[in-house]
């Protein structure tokens, strides 16, 4: 029952993933959550984000940001990195993930989603049929509704790890 929430893989950070290896394996699209995945909640793109996006473009990836935030927030974050984006995505609805793939010209078989929340990011991407990476949140300070969801995420991750999935 909980399997629908399990990530395909886990990583400490979006910055520690071996993207060159993923490209060699045939992946061509990357869809990212923004807040607490690539930067602190509400923060602009850092130099680390800018460098990662340059690297991904050089490798050959199509990149799309997928956020439930308002356009003002997502557009501000995207000013320095210039990738495709979708605001008010309605995660975990499948529609946003499908639109993201359409924007970057990929299919579910060659697209990966990277995010920090199980019940929106990972669940929606799993429902879409994508490979998913769950990353640790960048910032410990979060809004109360997210803090409450983190307690439930711990339960899901307990059973995920107990099954020996990595």
């Amino acid at each position: 029952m909980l399997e629908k929430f399990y990530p395909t893989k886990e990583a400490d950070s979006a910055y520690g993933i071996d993207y060159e290896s993923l490209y060699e394996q045939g992946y061509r699209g990357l869809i990212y959550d923004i807040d607490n995945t690539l930067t602190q909640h509400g923060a602009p793109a850092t130099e680390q984000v800018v460098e990662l996006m340059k690297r991904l473009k050089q490798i050959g990836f199509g990149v799309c940001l997928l956020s439930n935030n308002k356009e003002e927030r997502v557009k501000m974050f995207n000013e320095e990195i210039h990738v495709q984006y979708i605001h008010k995505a309605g995660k975990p609805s499948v529609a946003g993930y499908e639109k993201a793939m359409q924007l970057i010209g990929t299919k579910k078989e060659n697209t990966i989603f990277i995010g920090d929340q199980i019940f929106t990011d990972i669940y929606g991407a799993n429902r879409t049929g994508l490979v998913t990476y769950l990353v640790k949140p960048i910032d410990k300070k979060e809004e109360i509704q997210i803090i409450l969801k983190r307690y439930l995420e711990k339960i899901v991750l307990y059973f995920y790890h107990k099954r020996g999935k990595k």
Side-chain angles (χ1 to χ4, degrees):
M1 178 179 124
L2 292 177
E3 289 85 359
K4 61 187 170 191
F5 299 110
Y6 292 171
T8 310
K9 300 193 183 253
E10 289 179 289
D12 286 337
S13 161
Y15 303 98
I17 296 170
D18 185 352
Y19 293 106
E20 289 80 3
S21 176
L22 293 173
Y23 193 84
E24 288 173 11
Q25 293 171 45
Y27 294 101
R28 296 298 181 261
L30 300 168
I31 304 171
Y32 287 91
D33 173 54
I34 299 173
D35 289 326
N36 256 346
T37 296
L38 291 172
T39 192
Q40 293 178 330
H41 186 79
T46 62
E47 189 58 35
Q48 188 178 30
V49 175
V50 172
E51 290 303 314
L52 176 63
M53 294 302 147
K54 280 184 194 172
R55 180 175 147 218
L56 296 174
K57 290 174 188 177
Q58 288 173 346
I59 293 170
F61 281 108
V63 179
C64 187
L65 306 172
L66 187 66
S67 176
N68 284 346
N69 274 302
K70 295 177 181 173
E71 185 171 22
E72 179 182 326
R73 160 67 180 133
V74 182
K75 188 175 184 181
M76 178 269 292
F77 181 83
N78 195 40
E79 284 176 358
E80 297 292 321
I81 58 176
H82 310 288
V83 296
Q84 297 288 338
Y85 71 86
I86 297 170
H87 65 283
K88 290 189 179 179
K91 294 182 288 184
S93 170
V94 170
Y97 299 88
E98 290 176 341
K99 184 176 179 187
M101 287 185 286
Q102 183 181 12
L103 287 173
I104 59 177
T106 59
K107 298 178 177 151
K108 64 182 177 181
E109 295 81 18
N110 65 353
T111 305
I112 296 172
F113 179 85
I114 299 108
D116 71 296
Q117 291 189 51
I118 288 177
F119 298 114
T120 51
D121 297 334
I122 301 303
Y123 177 53
N126 283 346
R127 291 177 61 213
T128 309
L130 303 178
V131 166
T132 57
Y133 273 80
L134 177 67
V135 297
K136 294 179 181 170
I138 289 175
D139 194 357
K140 300 290 184 223
K141 283 177 51 180
E142 297 181 299
E143 297 171 352
I144 188 66
Q145 69 271 19
I146 296 173
I147 292 170
L148 296 173
K149 283 196 275 184
R150 295 285 185 209
Y151 288 110
L152 296 173
E153 287 182 353
K154 286 180 183 180
I155 295 167
V156 172
L157 289 173
Y158 169 80
F159 288 104
Y160 169 73
H161 292 128
K162 188 174 177 179
R163 289 179 52 136
K165 292 197 176 218
K166 284 279 176 180

